[in-house]
Amino acid sequence: MDRYGKIFFKNGNFPQSDKTIVIPNNFSLMLPIHMARVDEKYIYETSKYNYLPNLHILNCINENSIHSNNELTIYYTSKDKSALAEAEAIDKSLINIKVNFIKDPELKEIKDNNREGGSVHFIAHGDDGKIVFNKSVLKGDEICEVLQDSLINVSFSVCKSGKIIQKELYPYNHSSWSHKMLSKNAKKVLTHIWDLGQYASKSFITSYYKNENMSKHMTNYKPSEYGGYMKWGYLE
């Protein structure tokens, strides 16, 4: 990761910032820039990075149209006890937010239980573009299609939920769950490029929903266990 940092900041001039937007190229979609190390620190420890798929996506985003209804729906698998533990931890960490739990949903249930201005979170296994619940396997693309427009937050505690389908060389032609949700005017999308550790996920996601400095909560596990997380969309 130190060598990765030197690739981007050869002259040692690393600007620390709370407002950095990155449009990642092909390589950075596999190894997020904020995971690089500069001066013996990971970039995520000193700066906040958000990602956009491309500048054209800004034509689909209208920040002023989004008003939160203070409601979060968590879809989780019953196949793994840690999924429910993560959902309960999120619920306990939030104040003045109504949290709904839906176990092992079908596609229609997802469609019927989200509305504009709300947030959704998925906790399940990921497998080649699919989300694996206890008794059903749903395609991620189809889930994105049935989710409402203008959601405040769409987050996936799902391994490899940030996978990019590269249709051509240029970011404009990439496709992913993040692309689909941002094109539907979602304010924020959280995905993971790599496999996500169960215990690291629980620690990470509660700080994410509380808008805390996540780097303070990323010391108990190896950085790789956080699944190469990527925060897409608006900066806070």
Side-chain angles (χ1 to χ4, degrees), residues 30 32 37-38 45 47 67 78 80 87 92 116 120 143 149 178 180 183 187 201 221 224:
M30 296 183 291
R37 283 170 58 91
V38 177
E45 295 182 84
S47 301
H67 302 283
S78 64
D80 195 329
K92 291 177 182 178
E116 183 176 313
V120 295
I143 289 176
D149 291 2
S178 303
K180 290 181 180 297
S183 67
K187 183 177 181 181
S201 176
Y221 305 94
S224 60

Side-chain angles (χ1 to χ4, degrees), residues 9-51:
F9 309 103
K10 292 182 179 179
N11 60 2
N13 182 20
F14 169 57
Q16 297 183 11
S17 172
D18 285 341
K19 295 183 178 180
T20 302
I21 285 285
V22 176
I23 298 176
N25 61 13
N26 296 334
F27 186 76
S28 298
L29 290 167
M30 296 183 291
L31 185 57
I33 292 175
H34 65 269
M35 301 296 291
R37 283 170 58 91
V38 177
D39 297 329
E40 300 183 348
K41 287 187 176 181
Y42 291 98
I43 290 177
Y44 66 72
E45 295 182 84
T46 59
S47 301
K48 292 182 180 179
Y49 274 46
N50 273 38
Y51 295 84

Side-chain angles (χ1 to χ4, degrees), residues 2 7 11 26 44 53 66 71-72 92 95 102 115-116 126 135 185 212 216 221-222:
D2 291 295
I7 291 173
N11 60 2
N26 296 334
Y44 66 72
I66 304 177
E71 188 169 332
L72 168 66
K92 291 177 182 178
I95 301 173
I102 297 181
R115 55 196 179 93
E116 183 176 313
K135 296 182 180 180
N185 201 33
E212 294 178 340
K216 295 180 180 179
Y221 305 94
K222 295 178 181 178

Side-chain angles (χ1 to χ4, degrees), residues 59-147:
N59 295 324
C60 302
I61 298 174
N62 180 5
E63 184 176 8
N64 295 326
S65 70
I66 304 177
H67 302 283
S68 176
N69 62 19
N70 294 321
E71 188 169 332
L72 168 66
T73 301
I74 300 177
Y75 303 95
Y76 71 97
T77 177
S78 64
K79 195 173 184 178
D80 195 329
K81 291 182 179 179
S82 64
L84 178 58
E86 179 176 321
E88 292 174 338
I90 294 171
D91 187 18
K92 291 177 182 178
S93 70
L94 295 176
I95 301 173
N96 299 324
I97 300 291
K98 180 183 178 183
V99 180
N100 306 306
F101 290 11
I102 297 181
K103 178 176 65 176
D104 300 322
E106 296 292 342
L107 194 62
K108 184 179 185 305
E109 200 169 10
I110 295 174
K111 181 179 181 179
D112 294 342
N113 283 279
N114 72 99
R115 55 196 179 93
E116 183 176 313
S119 295
V120 295
H121 181 65
F122 294 86
I123 311 172
H125 298 287
D127 181 22
D128 194 25
K130 302 179 181 66
I131 298 181
V132 182
F133 295 101
N134 192 16
K135 296 182 180 180
S136 63
V137 179
L138 305 179
K139 293 182 179 179
D141 284 350
E142 293 181 351
I143 289 176
C144 291
E145 287 175 7
V146 302
L147 288 174

Side-chain angles (χ1 to χ4, degrees), residues 44 199-200 203-208 210 212-221 226:
Y44 66 72
Y199 299 109
S203 173
F204 173 88
I205 200 64
T206 52
S207 64
Y208 171 79
K210 290 190 290 186
E212 294 178 340
N213 183 349
M214 290 187 292
S215 65
K216 295 180 180 179
H217 299 265
M218 294 176 63
T219 57
N220 296 327
Y221 305 94
Y226 295 97

